[in-house]
Amino acid sequence: MNNQDTALSLAPAPLLSVVVPCYNEVENVEELIRRLAKALQGIFWEVIFVDDDSPDKTSQKVADLAFQDARVRLIHRIGRRGLSSACVEGMLSSSAPYLAVMDADLQHDETLLPEMMTALRSQQLDIVVGSRYVDGGGVGCWDTKRAAYSRFATQISRYFTQTELTDPMSGFFMIQRDALMQRVHRLSGVGFKILLDLFASSSTPLRFLELPYIFKERYAGESKLDNRAFLEFGMLLLDKWIGHLLPVRFVAFILVGGVGLLVHFFVLLLLFRLTGNSFMLGQTVATLVAMTTNYLLNNFFTYNDVQLKGWKLLTGWFSFTLVCGIGAAANVGISSLLFQRQTNWILSALAGIAISSVWNYAVTAVYTWRVPSIGTKP
Ligand code: GDD
Ligand code: MN
């Protein structure tokens, strides 16, 4: 054995990485580590917290703990949000053969982890899922709205994933690294539902086992499952449905564009047809109003994960308007020209809109929301 080989074998890496996405969980992380340490005795493990720059300074807390304990690691992401993408990045940062994902708020039952690992090691399985809906599992005390939402989402997901999973919305599972690597390029990485994403992105079905657990009360802090989660759930389904043809952002942009079109025609109708202003004026004002509406809607829906807020919402609007100014000029120019040449007013407006939409999408993706490439999935 030469020196290098000796060096390589001196500090072996953990067998199990527990990936924990977190956002504003400062009160929970220490307790989670304590419970993991207790549950995982005898297993060579580590925990990887993936924090999206939480305002409550979760990442600083994790960094402090990581400095005291080498089993604790931190990925601190800035300018991004997203539970699924956090899980994916956490898993990709590990070289362990077994990868678990669980929430930071202690709602998932960490004592199930050893059993999950035993099942993965002893049976022909790709993934073991913690389920609230098999015998012995449960959701604890949920309000009716939350329970209804969960049931509804579970039904749609089962349809999409075509699996027998009882709990496709579960955020608690352990997967073999190889099984993940075979599918990771096809993942959407959108939203909350990483497990659903994994199952829906598999050309070869995942061999799975479900183990029951009781979904506990949150230890501290608040749930982030809000309207954003709903929205992202929609984006994920959209991506699974049409994402192999077009990037989901583009589809969302076009849908928002559809709303902008309605706004555009409403203003144009009001100014040009009903109050007798010139077509040029009507089209110019309609373009401006539609542009602002589109900006706000895209910022909320299409670019939810990199949403511009506060001061940046304003500067973003400026850059959007500035960049789209060229698009708008082309829009007004081309549509007016067509209109002057006796083209029908609706067709004239549509041609202007079509040209400016493509321009708007391509240029604002890069300059306003600064996503790395317009083809990149959120
Ligand atoms: N990094 C990161 N970024 N983490 C996030 C984000 C985010 O944008 N949003 C939420 N998280 C973290 C939370 O801090 C928590 O650790 C975990 O993801 C789950 O978020 P909760 O807000 O606690 O969600 P929940 O309890 O309502 O729903 C959970 O349980 C459901 C049932 O298993 C989630 O795991 C759902 O995916 C799951 O369906
Ligand atoms: Mn939770």
Side-chain angles (χ1 to χ4, degrees):
M1 217 189 255
N2 62 31
N3 281 344
Q4 210 177 359
D5 287 338
T6 324
L8 273 174
S9 61
L10 267 181
L15 199 60
L16 168 68
S17 294
V18 182
V19 174
V20 180
C22 44
Y23 193 76
N24 283 347
E25 305 286 4
V26 72
E27 302 292 332
N28 293 321
V29 288
E30 195 166 358
E31 179 62 20
L32 178 64
I33 297 169
R34 207 172 292 132
R35 292 196 195 178
L36 284 174
K38 192 166 168 222
L40 295 172
Q41 280 172 31
I43 294 174
F44 189 6
W45 64 280
E46 67 176 351
V47 59
I48 304 168
F49 291 95
V50 188
D51 178 68
D52 289 348
D53 209 22
S54 303
D56 76 353
K57 304 255 180 344
T58 303
S59 42
Q60 188 52 52
K61 175 82 184 171
V62 174
D64 292 345
L65 294 163
F67 189 59
Q68 296 162 27
D69 187 339
R71 295 173 302 185
V72 179
R73 283 174 49 200
L74 166 69
I75 296 179
H76 183 164
R77 307 195 303 172
I78 294 176
R80 280 193 295 152
R81 281 291 305 272
L83 176 43
S84 279
S85 64
C87 295
V88 174
E89 279 175 45
M91 289 192 282
L92 286 177
S93 81
S94 156
S95 44
Y98 302 100
L99 304 163
V101 167
M102 70 187 292
D103 294 349
D105 54 8
L106 306 152
Q107 293 197 276
H108 294 156
D109 185 356
E110 73 287 344
T111 62
L112 204 62
L113 289 167
E115 204 181 324
M116 287 174 151
M117 188 143 149
T118 309
L120 276 186
R121 299 184 86 170
S122 60
Q123 301 176 39
Q124 298 283 316
L125 292 170
D126 295 313
I127 187 166
V128 180
V129 178
S131 168
R132 297 160 291 179
Y133 303 124
V134 289
D135 272 354
V139 293
C141 37
W142 258 3
D143 60 53
T144 42
K145 191 174 149 218
R146 175 76 206 250
Y149 163 75
S150 179
R151 263 199 312 274
F152 170 70
T154 302
Q155 285 309 323
I156 308 191
S157 319
R158 284 170 80 169
Y159 174 77
F160 265 86
T161 52
Q162 310 269 318
T163 66
E164 298 303 312
L165 269 185
T166 60
D167 195 359
M169 316 303 278
S170 176
F172 183 32
F173 60 87
M174 191 184 293
I175 188 169
Q176 301 253 20
R177 183 184 153 76
D178 292 346
L180 172 77
M181 293 318 289
Q182 281 161 19
R183 291 159 180 92
V184 73
H185 292 100
R186 281 195 296 272
L187 291 178
S188 302
V190 194
F192 246 63
K193 307 303 174 193
I194 172 70
L195 186 68
L196 175 63
D197 197 0
L198 267 170
F199 274 80
S201 306
S202 291
S203 49
T204 14
L206 280 157
R207 296 166 302 173
F208 71 92
L209 170 75
E210 289 184 300
L211 293 177
Y213 79 98
I214 309 258
F215 196 63
K216 284 178 284 188
E217 285 284 298
R218 206 169 222 286
Y219 186 70
E222 286 165 15
S223 169
K224 284 94 209 169
L225 195 98
D226 51 9
N227 295 339
R228 170 203 288 265
F230 250 126
L231 179 73
E232 289 175 340
F233 184 51
M235 289 278 268
L236 176 63
L237 296 184
L238 192 68
D239 190 47
K240 287 300 156 220
W241 180 44
I242 210 165
H244 54 291
L245 302 173
L246 293 166
V248 68
R249 268 201 222 282
F250 183 66
V251 178
F253 197 87
I254 294 300
L255 291 177
V256 166
V259 177
L261 200 72
L262 291 179
V263 172
H264 187 102
F265 274 102
F266 177 75
V267 177
L268 185 61
L269 201 74
L270 206 73
L271 290 176
F272 172 58
R273 301 290 287 185
L274 299 182
T275 52
N277 290 291
S278 72
F279 178 76
M280 178 84 164
L281 178 80
Q283 180 75 344
T284 311
V285 176
T287 305
L288 263 176
V289 175
M291 212 152 77
T292 306
T293 318
N294 279 12
Y295 169 65
L296 294 172
L297 289 175
N298 276 316
N299 192 46
F300 189 76
F301 292 107
T302 319
Y303 293 101
N304 190 283
D305 56 328
V306 287
Q307 203 175 85
L308 304 170
K309 286 185 185 144
W311 185 243
K312 283 196 176 155
L313 184 67
L314 194 67
T315 52
W317 183 82
F318 276 116
S319 88
F320 187 88
T321 330
L322 212 75
V323 170
C324 295
I326 301 168
N331 180 343
V332 176
I334 289 165
S335 57
S336 304
L337 189 77
L338 288 173
F339 184 68
Q340 278 160 22
R341 302 241 167 117
Q342 313 303 321
T343 312
N344 170 287
W345 67 281
I346 298 181
L347 276 182
S348 307
L350 279 177
I353 292 163
I355 288 171
S356 61
S357 319
V358 173
W359 170 267
N360 289 356
Y361 172 67
V363 183
T364 60
V366 178
Y367 287 100
T368 304
W369 286 282
R370 299 184 181 276
V371 289
S373 116
I374 56 172
T376 305
K377 289 174 172 181

